[in-house]
Amino acid sequence: MSELKKDYKEKLVIRACHACMKLTESYQETERCLHCNKPFLPLRYFEKIHGFKHKSWQKNFSEAQDLEEKDLIKGLFVLW
């Protein structure tokens, strides 16, 4: 019975687009708004920018489970 229970809770990233103000929900940071196609930069961009040369662009967008409240931009992001 204990094998069926999981302590792991999936986090969900909810982001408001700063261009069209529509909401997008995902289990990782979104690269573009699903409504107006506006491209986004990854959270903590200025800390990650030095690694962009060695990684593909998509690898800089974090999974929701790797994010914390302090990583978010207040007013645009929510972890649920």
Side-chain angles (χ1 to χ4, degrees):
M1 186 94 178
S2 62
E3 293 177 18
L4 297 177
K5 292 183 180 179
K6 287 188 176 180
D7 292 341
Y8 179 77
K9 294 181 182 177
E10 295 244 4
K11 288 184 184 177
L12 189 64
V13 176
I14 302 172
R15 180 187 177 122
C17 176
H18 58 281
C20 70
M21 294 309 297
K22 301 281 184 172
L23 297 178
T24 302
E25 298 178 8
S26 179
Y27 291 107
Q28 68 177 36
E29 289 181 75
T30 52
E31 296 176 38
R32 292 186 171 272
C33 177
L34 299 176
H35 307 281
C36 71
N37 211 27
K38 174 80 175 164
F40 300 136
L41 290 174
L43 288 170
R44 305 182 70 105
Y45 170 78
F46 292 107
E47 293 175 12
K48 298 176 180 178
I49 192 168
H50 302 293
F52 281 178
K53 295 177 186 173
H54 306 291
K55 292 183 184 178
S56 69
W57 179 253
Q58 291 80 14
K59 291 188 180 191
N60 291 291
F61 290 88
S62 301
E63 296 287 327
Q65 62 201 20
D66 299 331
L67 295 172
E68 297 179 22
E69 289 291 327
K70 66 180 182 179
D71 299 327
L72 306 179
I73 301 170
K74 289 181 177 33
L76 291 181
F77 287 89
V78 173
L79 278 177
W80 197 260

